[in-house]
Amino acid sequence: MAKKRKPPSIKEEPPGSDLEDENFGSPRTFDPDFKGPVADRSCTDVLCCIIFILFIIGYILLGLMAWVHGDPRRVAYPTDSNGHFCGQKGTPNENKTILFYFNLFSCTSPSLLVNLQCPTTQICVSKCPEKFLTYMEMYFMYRTRENYWSYYSQFCKAASAKPVKAFTQLLLDDDCPTAIFPSRPFLQRCFPDFSTKNGLLTIGNKTTFNDGSGKTRNVVELRAAANGVNKILDARAIGMKVFEDYATTWYWILIGLTIAMLLSWMFVILLRVTAGFLFWVFILGVIGILAYGIWHCYQEYSKLQGKPNSHLSIYNIGIQTDISMYFQLKQTWFTFMIILAILEVIVIVMLIFLRDRIRVSIALLKEGSKAIGYIPSTLIYPVLTFIFLSICISYWAVTAVYLATSGTPIYKVIAPEGQCEHENKTCDPEIFNTTEIAKACPGAHCNFAFYGGKSLYHQYITTFQIVNLFIFLWLINFVIALGQCTLAGAFASYYWALKKPDDIPPHPLFTAFGRAIRYHTGSLAFGSLILATIQMVRLVLQYLDNRLKDAQSNISRFLQCCLKCCFWCLEHVVKFLNRHAYVMIAIYGQNFCRSARDAFNLLMRNVLKVAVMDRVTEFVLTLGKILVAGCIGILAFLLFTERIPMIVEGPTSLNYYWVPLLTVIIGSYLIAHGFFSVYAMCIDTIFICFLEDLERNDGSTARPYYMSQSLLKIMSKQSSQTKKQ
């Protein structure tokens, strides 16, 4: 006699489930009265919430402390060798806005110039030199024409009525430059005014000049001393032209971005009817491309029949720099043909065996479009996320600048020749010339180096910068997590409405946002903390790699590469798990660890569905982003290149049409990404709810499915096929 079946408290694994394994979670008891996201919930991960709030308070205090001690003028204004700002109002340098270098030959790279670390005296001037003139030439010409000294003296430390110092004394005191040459201001600094004449690099129409110390210098030497400066100067001209193009086309750019927003909206809505079409077009295209590749390889293989040396193997000819030699071998084309044939078989077999799961995935894509149609306010939420992210980025950047400019000027001994035992020691510029260091190291200078101090605050500036970066990463991930949990709550309200759209609660997005902030700040902070820690480790590894690149052995580079790869994979795995954990938090209101465990177990019980759904969704959304950006890009190209004057007259005489074109394309892609990120979260939420629906309910009157009719038809078809088997 057949044993009477006991009514289970948990539904048996439904038809179509991919895996039945007790290792992926113990039996779960379901609330029979569950009808959507739990309304009666309590605060989760309270300890992490308290820690997160304390960190935010500390972050605000850190910003205030940096604001008190920092001075962003140190970034805005150049600083001379005495630590005084050039061009600062209310100071003797108010009208001297440009920094002048006495001996540019002692500067070895442009980065030293910009960072004010060039080992030469630097003073503030009102304008850059416009001609060649040495101190000795000026000294002798002054006897006949006094205006030579009046011109030259503006590039000296202190102006006097006449030149009173001999050349040797001038070198010791370093009061004036030994020579000046034509320069022009850039980045508020005097840089050499290079030009090209008849294919030769010149400065002031000269290729050689006297450096003031009796040496004849070549302009190439000056160029080497300021390597890359000319490129930077050229970049300024390019920057001005780019600015002009933006000023001419800004309204066209706004129109293009507005059209991109409308196209993104239309694409999301049309996915309700085009998701399946787009996917199958792509699949047939892949099959067709692979088939053409196989046919082409066979044709090339046939052409080589009977040709001399075509029968040789790749092993016979060895490694060749001329890659075309390999294409003269039959073995090469035969190998390609086999590989493409294998790929073709794999794609076709996957289509045959996974066709039901692909149909479910396409149905979920269509369901996502319906959900967004019923809750259109979710498409506005990325704007709120953008505002939050902008606030976090701005606060981090401002705090970093204030921290970097905290402290008092620190002066260091700098020897141009680099042969002084006291080099890099701190010094006082007011009394430097009377100290033993000046006597022991002739030619050494006491120049401004950086801002710092000896207080406890100044000693921990580097630590504060690290803390600033870490909390910034934590906040950025928290804002993203908040958006994901909010959207998940809104779309879960849609899915668990039995009669759509009548049973959808009012203002689901606002309600989900309030629940996430009120009850689950701690859980979101917990998940964000894990992700921020991994990202911080990745940044440290990248920093060490950059600093120790030249000193590393092959083994250490290999190990570091492995570590970077592992943490990159770990970051993406954690992002995937966090995303689905936030969905479970939005639905059930449980803490982060339990939600992450339940989400992981649920996904592992349906691992094939997860893999197929992830690939199908990624393809469709990527295609949508490319489609939106491509359509807008084509229209912008036709407009900015004046290809459609009979339809609309676009901007004329652009310097670089590709500047507004790239702006429109990138902006359109980002707008589409914002829309489709909402859609991706919608699909993930509906997918999790769909899997939960299968495990909770059986389609009976007492426990009906909450899925849509299209999904229900697919599941009913699969169930009937299973019964027949």
Side-chain angles (χ1 to χ4, degrees):
M1 183 176 178
K3 186 183 291 186
K4 186 176 181 182
R5 186 174 180 181
K6 182 180 178 181
S9 59
I10 303 172
K11 203 187 83 169
E12 293 182 349
E13 195 68 29
S17 289
D18 305 305
L19 197 57
E20 298 180 16
D21 193 337
E22 294 180 357
N23 295 328
F24 292 123
S26 56
R28 298 166 58 198
T29 55
F30 294 121
D31 180 9
D33 298 326
F34 178 81
K35 294 182 179 179
V38 177
D40 186 15
R41 57 180 74 194
S42 59
C43 295
T44 55
D45 296 304
V46 178
L47 178 60
C48 194
C49 179
I50 295 173
I51 295 174
F52 182 63
I53 294 173
L54 291 177
F55 264 81
I56 291 178
I57 295 173
Y59 196 31
I60 295 173
L61 294 177
L62 176 62
L64 293 174
M65 189 165 51
W67 181 76
V68 170
H69 292 87
D71 189 352
R73 294 175 303 173
R74 296 164 183 170
V75 177
Y77 299 103
T79 310
D80 65 12
S81 296
N82 293 321
H84 300 145
F85 299 127
C86 298
Q88 182 183 356
K89 294 183 178 180
T91 66
N93 290 333
E94 181 175 357
N95 297 321
K96 299 178 179 180
T97 59
I98 308 169
L99 193 67
F100 173 73
Y101 299 88
F102 271 22
N103 182 13
L104 200 60
F105 286 103
S106 28
C107 305
T108 57
S109 72
S111 62
L112 294 177
L113 299 177
V114 176
N115 293 325
L116 307 175
Q117 299 298 319
C118 185
T120 186
T121 301
Q122 304 151 30
I123 64 170
C124 299
V125 296
S126 57
K127 65 177 182 179
C128 295
E130 300 169 348
K131 58 185 177 181
F132 285 106
L133 192 62
T134 67
Y135 184 83
M136 293 300 296
E137 290 173 346
M138 179 278 306
Y139 193 84
F140 289 114
M141 292 179 183
Y142 165 74
R143 299 174 183 176
T144 57
R145 299 181 64 179
E146 294 185 0
N147 62 333
Y148 275 92
W149 171 245
S150 62
Y151 179 79
Y152 200 91
S153 62
Q154 62 185 326
F155 305 110
C156 296
K157 286 183 179 178
S160 59
K162 59 181 180 178
V164 295
K165 292 188 178 182
F167 183 71
T168 53
Q169 188 63 34
L170 177 78
L171 291 177
L172 289 175
D173 295 342
D174 200 34
D175 285 337
C176 294
T178 58
I180 58 176
F181 43 81
S183 305
R184 57 176 172 173
F186 179 59
L187 296 176
Q188 293 182 275
R189 291 159 177 83
C190 290
F191 285 154
D193 189 7
F194 293 113
S195 60
T196 304
K197 185 177 182 181
N198 297 327
L200 295 176
L201 184 66
T202 64
I203 180 171
N205 294 325
K206 292 184 179 182
T207 57
T208 59
F209 56 91
N210 192 329
D211 69 351
S213 61
K215 296 180 181 179
T216 300
R217 297 279 193 169
N218 192 301
V219 69
V220 177
E221 295 181 63
L222 184 61
R223 177 64 179 271
N227 185 28
V229 172
N230 199 41
K231 294 181 180 179
I232 299 175
L233 294 173
D234 292 339
R236 181 180 67 164
I238 296 175
M240 291 299 295
K241 292 180 180 179
V242 168
F243 179 79
E244 292 173 1
D245 290 341
Y246 277 129
T248 305
T249 61
W250 65 270
Y251 53 92
W252 290 108
I253 293 174
L254 289 180
I255 292 173
L257 297 181
T258 304
I259 296 174
M261 183 177 64
L262 296 176
L263 277 180
S264 300
W265 174 277
M266 289 175 58
F267 191 87
V268 169
I269 300 302
L270 289 175
L271 277 176
R272 189 180 305 185
V273 293
T274 60
F277 173 76
L278 289 175
F279 177 78
W280 290 114
V281 166
F282 168 72
I283 290 297
L284 293 176
V286 170
I287 293 174
I289 291 171
L290 291 175
Y292 173 79
I294 295 171
W295 176 82
H296 180 73
C297 291
Y298 176 77
Q299 292 293 321
E300 293 294 331
Y301 178 83
S302 301
K303 289 179 183 178
L304 293 175
Q305 292 285 2
K307 286 190 177 182
N309 299 326
S310 64
H311 64 282
L312 296 176
S313 65
I314 297 176
Y315 177 79
N316 294 138
I317 66 172
I319 300 175
Q320 299 292 330
T321 56
D322 185 5
I323 300 178
S324 62
M325 293 184 63
Y326 294 108
F327 295 105
Q328 305 301 320
L329 305 178
K330 292 193 299 181
Q331 187 187 58
T332 303
W333 292 107
F334 183 76
T335 304
F336 285 159
M337 184 170 62
I338 294 299
I339 293 173
L340 292 175
I342 293 174
L343 290 175
E344 183 89 326
V345 171
I346 290 174
V347 171
I348 294 174
V349 169
M350 288 181 64
L351 284 176
I352 294 173
F353 287 96
L354 299 179
R355 62 187 184 279
D356 291 334
R357 294 181 179 89
I358 290 174
R359 284 206 301 269
V360 172
S361 300
I362 294 173
L364 287 173
L365 286 171
K366 296 177 180 179
E367 192 68 17
S369 181
K370 290 182 183 178
I372 293 176
Y374 287 130
I375 315 177
S377 58
T378 54
L379 291 175
I380 305 175
Y381 190 85
V383 177
L384 184 62
T385 299
F386 175 78
I387 294 172
F388 286 156
L389 291 178
S390 299
I391 293 172
C392 294
I393 293 171
S394 301
Y395 189 86
W396 166 77
V398 170
T399 303
V401 169
Y402 272 91
L403 284 173
T405 57
S406 296
T408 56
I410 301 297
Y411 302 90
K412 295 275 188 177
V413 177
I414 296 177
E417 303 298 329
Q419 297 177 351
C420 177
E421 60 180 346
H422 303 287
E423 190 171 15
N424 289 326
K425 288 185 178 179
T426 56
C427 57
D428 185 350
E430 300 294 335
I431 60 172
F432 178 73
N433 290 333
T434 62
T435 61
E436 295 297 326
I437 297 177
K439 298 177 182 178
C441 303
H445 311 299
C446 182
N447 285 358
F448 167 78
F450 55 87
Y451 293 97
K454 296 183 179 180
S455 67
L456 186 65
Y457 168 79
H458 295 104
Q459 291 176 7
Y460 286 95
I461 289 292
T462 304
T463 304
F464 291 149
Q465 288 283 24
I466 295 173
V467 171
N468 181 34
L469 178 61
F470 177 75
I471 300 180
F472 165 71
L473 293 175
W474 194 356
L475 287 174
I476 288 292
N477 286 298
F478 177 81
V479 169
I480 295 173
L482 177 62
Q484 292 174 344
C485 189
T486 299
L487 293 172
F491 292 126
S493 299
Y494 160 82
Y495 185 93
W496 295 107
L498 189 60
K499 296 179 181 179
K500 302 176 179 62
D502 298 335
D503 291 346
I504 299 176
H507 313 297
L509 183 67
F510 180 79
T511 303
F513 180 80
R515 279 200 303 258
I517 289 291
R518 181 179 178 182
Y519 297 110
H520 306 303
T521 296
S523 298
L524 301 180
F526 191 7
S528 306
L529 176 62
I530 297 172
L531 196 54
T533 304
I534 296 172
Q535 292 171 342
M536 194 69 186
V537 173
R538 288 192 63 201
L539 289 174
V540 171
L541 289 174
Q542 187 62 46
Y543 173 78
L544 293 176
D545 185 39
N546 294 335
R547 291 297 299 269
L548 305 176
K549 187 175 294 182
D550 297 331
Q552 288 179 333
S553 64
N554 292 332
I555 296 177
S556 61
R557 276 196 294 267
F558 173 75
L559 292 176
Q560 195 163 40
C561 183
C562 291
L563 279 174
K564 289 164 66 176
C565 180
C566 290
F567 276 96
W568 180 88
C569 295
L570 180 61
E571 179 183 352
H572 283 74
V573 169
V574 170
K575 281 183 177 179
F576 178 80
L577 291 177
N578 281 7
R579 187 182 182 92
H580 292 90
Y582 299 146
V583 176
M584 300 298 278
I585 290 173
I587 297 174
Y588 297 111
Q590 297 168 342
N591 61 48
F592 176 80
C593 291
R594 183 172 178 181
S595 298
R597 183 199 65 187
D598 291 345
F600 177 78
N601 291 335
L602 182 64
L603 295 173
M604 287 299 101
R605 288 195 296 270
N606 301 272
V607 64
L608 283 180
K609 285 192 181 77
V610 173
V612 174
M613 182 64 211
D614 191 54
R615 293 301 95 195
V616 172
T617 304
E618 182 180 359
F619 158 69
V620 173
L621 297 186
T622 302
L623 184 64
K625 296 174 190 176
I626 295 174
L627 184 63
V628 170
C631 291
I632 300 300
I634 292 173
L635 292 175
F637 174 78
L638 296 175
L639 179 68
F640 295 141
T641 56
E642 302 179 69
R643 303 291 178 91
I644 49 174
M646 70 293 295
I647 301 176
V648 59
E649 185 177 352
T652 57
S653 65
L654 291 177
N655 297 300
Y656 307 109
Y657 74 85
W658 51 266
V659 171
L661 176 62
L662 286 179
T663 304
V664 169
I665 292 174
I666 295 173
S668 300
Y669 185 87
L670 292 177
I671 288 175
H673 178 74
F675 274 83
F676 295 142
S677 63
V678 174
Y679 192 86
M681 196 65 214
C682 176
I683 298 302
D684 285 345
T685 304
I686 291 177
F687 183 54
I688 289 290
C689 294
F690 169 71
L691 298 179
E692 284 283 292
D693 197 9
L694 289 178
E695 293 192 355
R696 281 181 168 276
N697 304 306
D698 54 12
S700 62
T701 306
R703 291 161 58 188
Y705 285 128
Y706 285 80
M707 64 187 72
S708 64
Q709 292 298 318
S710 58
L711 281 173
L712 190 58
K713 288 179 182 177
I714 294 174
M715 293 309 301
S716 300
K717 188 175 181 180
Q718 288 184 355
S719 180
S720 61
Q721 289 176 352
T722 304
K723 289 179 179 179
K724 289 179 181 179
Q725 292 174 359

